Amino acid sequence: MVLPHGLTSESLERSRGTYADAVGLPPEVYHDPEFHRFEIEAVFGDQWLCVGRQEQIPAAGDYLSVTRAGEPLIVVRRPDDSIGVMSAVCQHRAMCITASVERTDDDMLDPPDLQSGSTRQFRCPYHYWVYDLDGQLIGAPEMDRTTGFAMADVQLPGLAVELWQGFIFTNFAPDPAPLAPRLAKLDATLANYDVASLVTVDPMTIPDVPFNWKIMIENFMEMYHNSRLHNGIHDFAPSSGASYTDYEPGTVAMFGFNETIEPDGGFNPTFKALFPPLPGTTMAERQRVVFALVAPTLLMGFQSDSAFWFYVDPTGPTTHALSMAYLFPPSTVELPDFGATLEAAIAGVSNFNRQDMPTNVATQMGMRSRFAPRGSYSWQEGVLAQFNSWLIDRYQAAAAE
Ligand code: FES
Ligand SMILES: [Fe+2]
């Protein structure tokens, strides 16, 4: 592959380094269709992509439907308790086997509604080919007169799987290098949080978010805007309390800390955590929020009483699907007033989203402008230069192939 348009390796290099010397990426990487096609191969072709959490599919036959970089996938708990990831594309004539065909006159031409749930087997709605939980074809009506056809030869394509801290990752490369060694430093930082035992609550996906996926990552990770865009509602965790760990090339975790004014702060109008502190965390950990990116697209935040995770899935040059969920310890989920308190917590977070989302939409508009900058960064945005460095490595490697 070659770098699209007038982009050069030298031009990209200006965005590598630290906040002190790096500038923003060239604006076209946020909107150009040709660059988007390049990027999907360069960044999503061989990296580990999160597809959910293990506790979302606790029993054999439980499955999730997700789309990653345009590919419909099934994440399934198999009878031997292992987790598999496989393509949802029927190997007969390519219908997505998890798509619902129960549509109305109004939504029958909308993008497919991919189902999640529990099953003993997957039956394609089109011609009733049936696959077992391993993806093996086990039923195919009226195929007995077809020359050379054997069900044993047909499987849903399977993908690599790795579990990390309860998160399920997959990879489009056939034999990818393992993920966990590249997350060791983040593992050490999260040692007291018992992330693997946290429980996903209230997962939801917004399918058509109208800005480039990297704009979402940047907005989540940088703390420069906390005391400005969120002036007033973010005062418990001011931008002056921001710090980022150093990025080590070859790793995939970029993360930092936002110190809070007092222990047990919270993203709601009381500025206080609404749930008990996470068991096992220290007082110092209760007085900061950890913001972490597992590149390219898993975002996590860890606060005093809970955590949250976002998944950012590009769907086009200027669009992505955004998935969001909370993480709580089981002891918190079992509290009698958990549901009502959760509603209050969600209402608090909405106040931030109502400022962040229009800002991201307006940033996308600016990135298309002939006057779009390659601007300088504050020390409170150090992670942006780190993410640029990681991306540029991917872009340059793909261009060199
Ligand atoms: S496309 Fe799936 S059975 Fe025909
Ligand atoms: Fe924000």
Side-chain angles (χ1 to χ4, degrees), residues 219 225 230 356:
N219 173 249
H225 77 284
H230 301 312
D356 283 320

Side-chain angles (χ1 to χ4, degrees), residues 219-220 222 225-226 229-230 234 352 355-356:
N219 173 249
F220 185 101
E222 64 93 347
H225 77 284
N226 294 0
L229 177 66
H230 301 312
H234 216 296
F352 294 86
Q355 295 174 332
D356 283 320

Side-chain angles (χ1 to χ4, degrees), residues 1-3 37-44 46 391-401:
M1 287 194 289
V2 290
L3 285 168
R37 285 189 291 276
F38 168 82
E39 183 177 59
I40 289 294
E41 283 309 311
V43 175
F44 293 85
D46 64 355
L391 286 168
I392 293 165
D393 282 343
R394 306 277 87 68
Y395 299 155
Q396 290 176 338
E401 268 172 25

